[in-house]
Amino acid sequence: MGKKKIAVMTSGGDAPGMNACIRAVVRTTLHEGHSIFGIYGGYTGLINGELMPLNRHSVSNIIQKGGTFLKTSRCETFRHKSGRRRAADKINEWAIEGLIVIGGDGSFRGAHALFKEHNIPVIGVPATIDNDIFGTDLTIGYDTAVTTALHSIDKIRDTAASHNRLFIVEVMGRNAGFIALEVGICGGAEEILVPETKSDLKKLGDEIKTWSKAGKKSSLIVVAEGDDLGNANTIADKVKEAYNIESHVCVLGHTQRGGSPTATDRVLASRLGFHAVHEFLKGKEDIMVGWKSNQLNTIPLPQAWEKKKPLDKDLMNLYSVLSS
Ligand code: F6P
């Protein structure tokens, strides 16, 4: 096999562990005797021709850092055929033979379109704090986001208990409740509201009343930002209006996206970066690498968004038993 030119980029919302993954891609590629380039600034950078050669020192001292040193973007231009044509022209001009995209489902849709329309070999590596990608039990960044949110929730519990208050804590997840469910269980939440199941104002109001009747002085509701009842502020307003129940709201927001990745995320990112390079060198294209049932996994890239990854039913059941 001749020496190949591979490029790596991060795209979409950043996730802790992206740096560890870039590092693994760079060092694995060099170890196998090929050359590696970084695209700076996601698809926007690709369209603008922001390519840089990387060596093993380019990725020194980054495994512990949150964010992505290659930067990232949500690129509107790339959603259009004309934008993808410009991106493909750059890749061909540079003679890049494979593109490794570290990101979430939106980034994978873009990568797949680049493959279909311009025959660019792409490999997806799942990185999003939401964990909402089929074909992998974990996405890079999820474990860190849960840990970060949990630290905040533990602190909120202290003040909630001191003041006998009800808190509604909003975690990230526009369409997915993975963070909410896990954080809610670990933080001992009385109620967890997720977009995957129908939330009911009356049921929620009745439950809150039951808690206080049962002698509970403080309580915590964890809600995913995309819940059908609304975000934390909306739910607080509804509960106040319908039941005259006061609550305090805390929106954890982008704190969940930052910070040093946990050990779990660093190992996952390293494994997936390594696997992505090897799959490309075996001639695979238009695939996503993942970690499923404690093993490396590979799926056709479109399955990543076409198939729905369900919330863990056992965890849902566990939460309803433990919070009752
Ligand atoms: O997809 C990851 C995520 O953090 C979601 O949980 C959240 O809804 C969204 O990104 C926020 O995106 P942005 O930072 O672009 O506003």
Side-chain angles (χ1 to χ4, degrees):
M1 191 197 298
K3 194 168 167 156
K4 296 219 173 259
K5 273 173 112 175
I6 303 177
V8 60
M9 63 185 274
T10 46
S11 170
D14 62 346
M18 279 182 159
N19 279 325
C21 186
I22 300 167
R23 173 180 179 270
V25 168
V26 170
R27 294 204 170 163
T28 306
T29 304
L30 297 173
H31 177 82
E32 297 299 338
H34 303 282
S35 41
I36 181 80
F37 295 79
I39 292 163
Y40 200 71
Y43 289 126
T44 308
L46 173 56
I47 290 169
N48 293 336
E50 300 215 33
L51 183 83
M52 56 172 149
L54 298 173
N55 57 44
R56 57 176 296 115
H57 302 299
S58 322
V59 290
S60 295
N61 200 24
I62 64 166
I63 193 167
Q64 78 284 16
K65 292 192 174 139
T68 158
F69 90 102
L70 284 179
K71 309 269 177 153
T72 185
S73 60
R74 300 199 191 270
C75 179
E76 183 53 37
T77 315
F78 195 76
R79 289 178 203 269
H80 305 283
K81 272 196 164 178
S82 56
R84 294 195 289 272
R85 150 67 54 209
R86 283 165 62 195
D89 286 348
K90 288 288 173 199
I91 289 176
N92 292 329
E93 198 179 294
W94 297 324
I96 296 293
E97 290 152 277
L99 177 63
I100 297 179
V101 178
I102 305 168
D105 63 334
S107 308
F108 294 164
R109 284 170 206 253
H112 175 67
L114 205 54
F115 170 75
K116 286 298 260 188
E117 293 162 15
H118 302 286
N119 214 17
I120 308 282
V122 293
I123 309 271
V125 183
T128 161
I129 64 162
D130 291 349
N131 199 29
D132 58 344
I133 306 278
F134 181 84
T136 190
D137 292 337
L138 287 174
T139 56
I140 297 166
Y142 170 65
D143 186 65
T144 308
V146 167
T147 305
T148 302
L150 185 60
H151 286 153
S152 300
I153 288 201
D154 288 347
K155 291 176 181 130
I156 291 167
R157 266 221 176 273
D158 290 345
T159 177
S162 305
H163 285 269
N164 293 341
R165 282 175 173 163
L166 165 67
F167 263 82
I168 306 182
V169 182
E170 180 183 309
V171 296
M172 273 191 167
R174 264 182 302 217
N175 307 307
F178 292 92
I179 298 180
L181 180 57
E182 196 158 326
V183 163
I185 287 179
C186 299
E190 275 68 29
E191 180 67 52
I192 304 173
L193 303 174
V194 292
E196 287 85 347
T197 57
K198 180 114 195 64
S199 302
D200 180 340
L201 182 63
K202 173 152 176 13
K203 185 167 162 267
L204 183 63
D206 290 348
E207 271 174 13
I208 300 173
K209 284 191 229 153
T210 323
W211 302 335
S212 49
K213 272 192 204 133
K216 240 183 183 319
K217 303 253 182 304
S218 68
S219 21
L220 210 120
I221 298 170
V222 173
V223 57
E225 62 181 322
D227 188 69
D228 54 311
L229 209 51
N231 62 21
N233 278 303
T234 309
I235 294 174
D237 289 347
K238 286 182 178 170
V239 166
K240 167 81 184 149
E241 199 184 304
Y243 300 98
N244 201 26
I245 295 171
E246 294 286 350
S247 61
H248 281 66
V249 167
C250 184
V251 178
L252 301 185
H254 285 78
T255 56
Q256 296 157 94
R257 286 248 292 266
S260 180
T262 58
T264 298
D265 268 329
R266 295 184 204 190
V267 174
L268 176 72
S270 303
R271 279 191 205 276
L272 295 187
F274 173 91
H275 188 44
V277 172
H278 284 131
E279 289 295 86
F280 169 72
L281 293 176
K282 275 194 245 157
K284 301 266 184 69
E285 53 190 13
D286 199 31
I287 54 139
M288 185 197 84
V289 294
W291 182 249
K292 190 118 187 68
S293 309
N294 280 323
Q295 278 183 24
L296 288 167
N297 189 34
T298 299
I299 58 163
L301 192 52
Q303 283 190 10
W305 66 89
E306 282 171 6
K307 294 199 173 180
K308 176 100 180 132
K309 177 160 138 190
L311 284 181
D312 185 332
K313 277 204 189 106
D314 292 342
L315 269 192
M316 295 284 277
N317 185 39
L318 178 66
Y319 134 70
S320 66
V321 171
L322 300 186
S323 64
S324 59

